[in-house]
Amino acid sequence: MAYQNSIPFYEKYWYKHNYKRVTDSLLLILLLSLLGYRVISINNYSLFPWFVAFLCESWFTFSWFLTLTTQWSPAVTKTYPHRLLQSVEELPPVDLFVTTADPELEPPIITVNTVLSLLALDYPPHKLACYVSDDGCSPRTFYALQEASQFAKFWVPFCKKYHVQVRAPFRYFSDKPEEVFGANNTPEFKQEWLQMKDMYDNLSSKIELDSSIISNPCNGDFAVFSNTERTNHPSIIQVIWENKEHIADGLPHLIYISREKRPKQPHHYKAGAMNVLTRVSGLITNAPFMLNVDCDMIVNNPKIVHHALSILLDHKGEKEVAFVQFPQKFYATLKDDPFGNQMTILAKYLAAGIGGLQGPFYGGTNCFHRRKVIYGLSPENIEKDKFSGNSISEEELKQKFGTSKEIMKSVACTLEGRTYSYNDINISNVVDVASQVAGCAYEYGTGWGKQMAWIYGSVTEDVLTGLTIHKKGWRSEFCMPSPIGFTGFAPGGGPNSMAQQKRWATGLLEMFFCKHCPIISTLFHKLTLRQCLAYMWIINHWGLMSVFEVCYACLLAYCIITNSNFLPQDLGICIPAAFLVIYKIYTASEYLAEGLSIRAWWNNQRMSRITPMNAGFCAFLSVLLKLFRISETVFDITKKDLPSAKDVGDDKDAGRYTFDESVVFLPGTTILLVQLTAMVIKLLGFQPPVATQSGKHGCGLGLSVRAWWNNQRMSRITPMNAGFCAFLSFLLKFLRISETVFDITKKELPSAGDVVDDKDVGRYTFDESLVFLPGTTILLLQLTIMVIKLLGLQPPLATQSGNGRELGEIF
């Protein structure tokens, strides 16, 4: 379906960010200098701490190299939809996929808002078909979609009449009326706006209030849900709305799909659901392009289809671009990003960086696919014109796509570049066949999930599928129109955010240890070297680096407990100090340049340590157990909550004190307790003595600093122990209970040798005196309080007028 035109429908611009390049290169040089220092000073350290430090710092250097090469040549893409409309006589059909899996974790009202925003796209409705995959087999979701289809008859014309931008009712009606009426102040608009708001409020109430009734279906359209369980039910395909007359100003098709599930039958999570959607839509509408979105990603720009097709239908993009990825942006975000999951800076520089390579990763949502690429077509097949319905035998089609003749026919049409005409589309005639191809046994012995379509073997099926497409030689493109294409709601609360991060890390590590590994794809397929390094960056960022960060954090506690050292000595300490200062200033400047606050920067810096040590390390252990065939990885569905209508941006405590029974925080908590234990051992002087050789210093921070610290430390220890004991002795004397005692100070003749450099002399001398009892008691009491604070065991504090502030808020 190439449209020969000398005017491109989109353009790509590469640009240089010299300041970023220089700073990234300087940081890489400092890391390499640190490794060089480690090598030349190996004799000044114990072997084990030196080896662990060198190994971890080598990996950190490699990680920074991956960051450098991924972001070295950024590019942006600009689309020209008006050129597309001027050059194309008839726009192609597009199938819309929405996936949901659990009505409790993903409430139906969220799915309804996403579907309504898709039905109201600025695109010929008879060219669209919306398929909703419900992996939870929930009558509540089906009922919500039925009610939404009735509301859509009024909502879609309203949006197109008044050129509404955000066409998800929840987002649209969350704006204050005075703000809406300020843009359009006509009486007709006010009246219709109030009517639509009342209708949406009624829709929301019906979906929420009737859920208990619908949960036990028995008749009518809900009879198909009788005797069904979430993991044990037949295929259910229901046509909620059909545009039978193919009216240009009507509504798109709306079809509900719940694929068959049986106990002990693999269903391959979201990848399996996407493959069922592909087969069912191939039988019904067989559009050459497919858009898939998660149930919580609403349309923010009604012209997204035109922007995507500007790339996919371009005379160059037709031959090279497999899919168009829109970035994930979030609405109703928490102020200062307390959980570090909005990824504003990361998305900005990563998107531009990989946009200048072979193209962005497939993100699992907000993505337009070319159907023939999903069916396994490669760029070579287009150039040589060998992969067509005429050149592939029926036996090959059956082996790869299954035994359904209707599927083989639709696949042949797609590979030949033909689309269904309106007369070919009769939904009621193919529902029975569609139910068969949605069965859990249909894929046995075929290429679904192995050779083509959404690939199985990873809980991040999106990145793995994108990798298999890239390794065939295809490119992909980012599309970032103004306004942005889609918006969603970031997970709220620590456990939800960590569950999502753990799933990403698990899937990426599974991808690294499978046959589709980026390194193998580069050596034996057509994945470019720098695209391979980009894939390695994302695998390392979420998965591999967590192991080295945990080891590095434990190394500090180990050295304190064993009285050894791993920090550079003397002037060598300047290397990591310079790296730390430059890196922190550099990253803080990026946040300030984007209009974000220093607190947002600090929150992301904090979470960049918490996330890998908890979610990343748990994911590593999960994959390790899978490799040893001890257990399988699990697809954790991220809980989605519809945010309140009010602005939650200023609610700094939203989700902050939410906990559950998940053990995802166990690694980080363990490391914290180990380091606190090491600090106690250090403060109490319980470290073993270390025999140092000439010229080997303990810390490398300078004797003057150590002398200052020793005096500061003793200025606290002395009054809390000796001073307080003296006060008690005087008190007992004053009360005539006992008399004070004159303690004679023991004097010893020092050895003939020079003991000036013996930093451990007298440190481990103890007797039966109780002089240290007060200080030790206070220390243990404060450690107990810290543990209570960290574990959240404090009772809630009721503050008046909401003005109460805790100490933690100050920092």
Side-chain angles (χ1 to χ4, degrees):
M1 192 187 295
Y3 296 92
Q4 301 297 329
N5 196 306
S6 58
I7 302 177
F9 297 158
Y10 83 102
E11 293 179 348
K12 194 170 185 177
Y13 302 94
W14 279 264
Y15 63 93
K16 293 182 180 180
H17 204 314
N18 293 328
Y19 165 73
K20 185 173 180 62
R21 284 186 176 183
V22 171
T23 309
D24 289 347
S25 300
L26 176 60
L27 292 173
L28 180 61
I29 292 172
L30 288 173
L31 287 171
L32 291 172
S33 301
L34 180 59
L35 294 180
Y37 174 86
R38 290 288 185 197
V39 173
I40 63 176
S41 61
I42 183 173
N43 294 327
N44 295 338
Y45 298 90
S46 300
L47 180 59
F48 178 74
W50 178 91
F51 176 75
V52 174
F54 181 78
L55 181 65
C56 294
E57 289 163 359
S58 297
W59 191 263
F60 298 154
T61 303
F62 174 67
S63 302
W64 190 254
F65 171 74
L66 294 178
T67 302
L68 179 70
T69 185
T70 300
Q71 302 180 8
W72 188 260
S73 52
V76 294
T77 300
K78 182 175 178 58
T79 54
Y80 302 102
H82 62 281
R83 296 182 182 177
L84 172 73
L85 296 175
Q86 293 172 359
S87 304
V88 177
E89 295 181 1
E90 185 177 2
L91 292 170
V94 178
D95 287 339
L96 313 173
F97 298 161
V98 181
T99 53
T100 183
D102 190 318
E104 299 298 329
L105 298 178
E106 299 172 334
I109 189 63
I110 295 180
T111 305
V112 162
N113 273 272
T114 300
V115 170
L116 288 172
S117 69
L118 290 171
L119 296 180
L121 285 170
D122 279 341
Y123 200 77
H126 61 290
K127 298 279 188 178
L128 298 175
C130 183
Y131 299 84
V132 181
S133 171
D134 177 19
D135 254 12
C137 190
S138 170
R140 292 171 52 192
T141 302
F142 177 65
Y143 172 75
L145 291 172
Q146 277 191 324
E147 295 298 322
S149 67
Q150 300 303 315
F151 174 74
K153 296 176 184 179
F154 303 94
W155 172 249
V156 172
F158 173 81
C159 291
K160 294 183 177 181
K161 178 180 179 180
Y162 293 107
H163 305 288
V164 175
Q165 177 191 323
V166 180
R167 300 187 176 182
F170 167 78
R171 289 292 296 157
Y172 179 69
F173 292 120
S174 64
D175 293 335
K176 296 180 180 179
E178 53 269 21
E179 296 178 359
V180 178
F181 297 151
N184 191 335
N185 200 25
T186 62
E188 181 185 7
F189 172 74
K190 287 183 178 180
Q191 181 180 0
E192 292 192 36
W193 186 92
L194 292 173
Q195 290 176 349
M196 292 307 305
K197 188 175 188 309
D198 289 340
M199 292 177 66
Y200 176 71
D201 291 340
N202 292 333
L203 172 67
S204 301
S205 300
K206 291 179 68 176
I207 292 175
E208 294 175 2
L209 296 178
D210 295 350
S211 60
S212 59
I213 302 175
I214 302 303
S215 297
N216 297 306
C218 58
N219 51 34
D221 294 335
F222 302 95
V224 293
F225 294 96
S226 299
N227 301 320
T228 60
E229 299 176 4
R230 179 179 173 184
T231 58
N232 186 14
H233 61 85
S235 301
I236 299 175
I237 299 178
Q238 295 287 314
V239 181
I240 297 177
W241 177 261
E242 181 181 2
N243 190 350
K244 295 181 179 180
E245 291 78 20
H246 307 289
I247 302 174
D249 58 350
L251 293 180
H253 303 305
L254 179 58
I255 302 168
Y256 171 91
I257 301 172
S258 183
R259 58 184 172 132
E260 181 186 14
K261 284 187 178 181
R262 298 299 178 191
K264 298 182 180 180
Q265 294 283 348
H267 55 85
H268 304 293
Y269 309 114
K270 184 180 175 181
M274 292 301 300
N275 285 337
V276 169
L277 284 172
T278 303
R279 292 196 295 271
V280 172
S281 65
L283 289 175
I284 298 176
T285 48
N286 202 32
F289 303 104
M290 305 176 293
L291 164 66
N292 88 279
V293 296
D294 287 342
C295 66
D296 62 330
M297 280 289 169
I298 62 174
V299 176
N300 189 68
N301 185 336
K303 297 187 179 297
I304 53 168
V305 181
H306 297 94
H307 287 282
L309 293 182
S310 297
I311 299 174
L312 293 169
L313 295 182
D314 183 77
H315 66 278
K316 186 177 180 181
E318 176 76 22
K319 301 175 183 178
E320 299 179 358
V321 179
F323 61 87
V324 176
Q325 179 68 57
F326 287 77
Q328 296 188 34
K329 300 290 184 179
F330 303 103
Y331 62 86
T333 54
L334 297 178
K335 184 179 180 181
D336 297 328
D337 192 11
F339 303 109
N341 56 6
Q342 298 171 21
M343 297 180 289
T344 305
I345 299 300
L346 180 66
K348 174 185 177 181
Y349 291 105
L350 177 65
I354 60 177
L357 305 178
Q358 201 171 341
F361 315 126
Y362 168 37
T365 182
N366 310 346
C367 187
F368 283 83
H369 293 274
R370 202 183 295 275
R371 186 181 287 268
K372 60 184 177 183
V373 175
I374 294 296
Y375 285 163
L377 197 67
S378 67
E380 288 183 351
N381 301 134
I382 294 180
E383 292 295 330
K384 298 178 181 179
D385 196 26
K386 290 183 178 180
F387 201 99
S388 66
N390 297 324
S391 62
I392 187 170
S393 66
E394 183 177 341
E395 186 64 27
E396 290 175 301
L397 284 172
K398 183 185 297 185
Q399 182 180 6
K400 190 173 183 180
F401 297 97
T403 57
S404 171
K405 293 183 179 180
E406 289 79 5
I407 282 288
M408 290 189 286
K409 177 183 176 182
S410 71
V411 169
C413 287
T414 299
L415 299 179
E416 292 172 3
R418 295 185 288 111
T419 58
Y420 284 179
S421 65
Y422 298 141
N423 296 329
D424 295 331
I425 300 176
N426 191 325
I427 299 179
S428 58
N429 292 342
V430 297
V431 167
D432 292 339
V433 179
S435 297
Q436 296 176 9
V437 302
C440 56
Y442 181 81
E443 294 181 349
Y444 289 160
T446 68
W448 290 98
K450 305 178 187 69
Q451 304 173 27
M452 50 82 182
W454 274 260
I455 305 300
Y456 303 149
S458 170
V459 293
T460 51
E461 79 297 324
D462 43 12
V463 183
L464 178 58
T465 300
L467 173 60
T468 58
I469 292 174
H470 279 142
K471 76 177 187 180
K472 293 178 182 178
W474 287 104
R475 290 193 305 105
S476 57
E477 294 287 4
F478 255 124
C479 186
M480 291 180 281
S482 180
I484 57 175
F486 299 87
T487 57
F489 185 66
N496 290 337
S497 180
M498 283 295 160
Q500 184 184 63
Q501 299 282 345
K502 177 179 176 291
R503 178 168 62 83
W504 291 350
T506 302
L508 292 169
L509 287 171
E510 287 177 318
M511 188 175 75
F512 178 73
F513 290 109
C514 75
K515 65 179 181 180
H516 301 290
C517 174
I519 299 174
I520 298 176
S521 299
T522 298
L523 294 176
F524 302 102
H525 300 281
K526 297 183 179 180
L527 188 71
T528 63
L529 177 60
R530 289 188 62 193
Q531 187 72 14
C532 169
L533 295 177
Y535 273 106
M536 286 302 301
W537 177 87
I538 192 173
I539 293 172
N540 174 69
H541 180 80
W542 263 278
L544 294 176
M545 195 162 66
S546 62
V547 180
F548 298 92
E549 291 203 12
V550 168
C551 291
Y552 208 65
C554 292
L555 179 61
L556 175 62
Y558 171 84
C559 289
I560 293 175
I561 294 172
T562 61
N563 206 9
S564 55
N565 181 49
F566 77 99
L567 292 175
Q569 301 171 3
D570 301 326
L571 293 178
I573 195 66
C574 295
I575 300 175
F579 179 89
L580 183 65
V581 171
I582 295 174
Y583 177 76
K584 295 302 181 183
I585 294 176
Y586 171 49
T587 53
S589 65
E590 290 180 333
Y591 277 80
L592 294 175
E594 284 297 304
L596 301 175
S597 65
I598 287 294
R599 189 179 181 88
W601 165 80
W602 169 248
N603 286 336
N604 278 266
Q605 291 293 304
R606 174 173 55 87
M607 293 305 297
S608 67
R609 301 281 70 76
I610 294 175
T611 300
M613 288 189 180
N614 292 281
F617 192 70
C618 285
F620 174 78
L621 295 179
S622 298
V623 174
L624 206 60
L625 293 175
K626 179 182 179 180
L627 294 176
F628 290 146
R629 301 184 182 275
I630 298 175
S631 66
E632 288 294 324
T633 54
V634 179
F635 188 96
D636 296 317
I637 302 174
T638 305
K639 185 177 181 181
K640 302 173 178 67
D641 296 313
L642 196 67
S644 59
K646 66 177 183 179
D647 186 10
V648 299
D650 293 331
D651 188 358
K652 58 182 176 299
D653 291 331
R656 180 166 296 180
Y657 303 105
T658 304
F659 299 95
D660 59 14
E661 67 278 5
S662 174
V663 297
V664 71
F665 288 102
L666 184 59
T669 305
T670 303
I671 292 172
L672 177 62
L673 293 176
V674 169
Q675 292 183 335
L676 287 174
T677 303
M679 291 173 60
V680 172
I681 292 174
K682 175 73 174 179
L683 292 173
L684 296 181
F686 290 162
Q687 300 163 295
V690 177
T692 59
Q693 300 177 6
S694 176
K696 292 185 181 179
H697 302 285
C699 66
L701 297 178
L703 292 178
S704 59
V705 175
R706 188 177 185 90
W708 168 81
W709 167 248
N710 286 336
N711 280 274
Q712 291 293 311
R713 179 170 54 90
M714 293 306 298
S715 67
R716 302 278 73 77
I717 294 175
T718 301
M720 286 189 178
N721 292 279
F724 191 72
C725 285
F727 172 77
L728 293 179
S729 297
F730 172 77
L731 194 62
L732 293 174
K733 178 182 178 181
F734 182 77
L735 298 175
R736 301 180 182 276
I737 298 175
S738 67
E739 290 294 327
T740 55
V741 178
F742 184 88
D743 296 317
I744 302 174
T745 306
K746 185 177 180 181
K747 302 175 179 65
E748 294 179 349
L749 190 65
S751 62
D754 186 7
V755 297
V756 174
D757 292 332
D758 188 357
K759 60 181 180 300
D760 293 325
V761 63
R763 176 169 294 182
Y764 304 101
T765 303
F766 298 95
D767 56 17
E768 65 278 6
S769 173
L770 300 178
V771 70
F772 288 103
L773 182 59
T776 306
T777 303
I778 293 173
L779 178 62
L780 292 176
L781 180 62
Q782 291 181 333
L783 286 175
T784 303
I785 293 172
M786 290 175 62
V787 172
I788 291 174
K789 174 71 174 178
L790 292 172
L791 296 181
L793 300 178
Q794 301 163 296
L797 178 63
T799 59
Q800 297 181 1
S801 69
N803 295 325
R805 300 189 67 195
E806 295 183 5
L807 180 62
E809 298 177 18
I810 300 176
F811 298 96

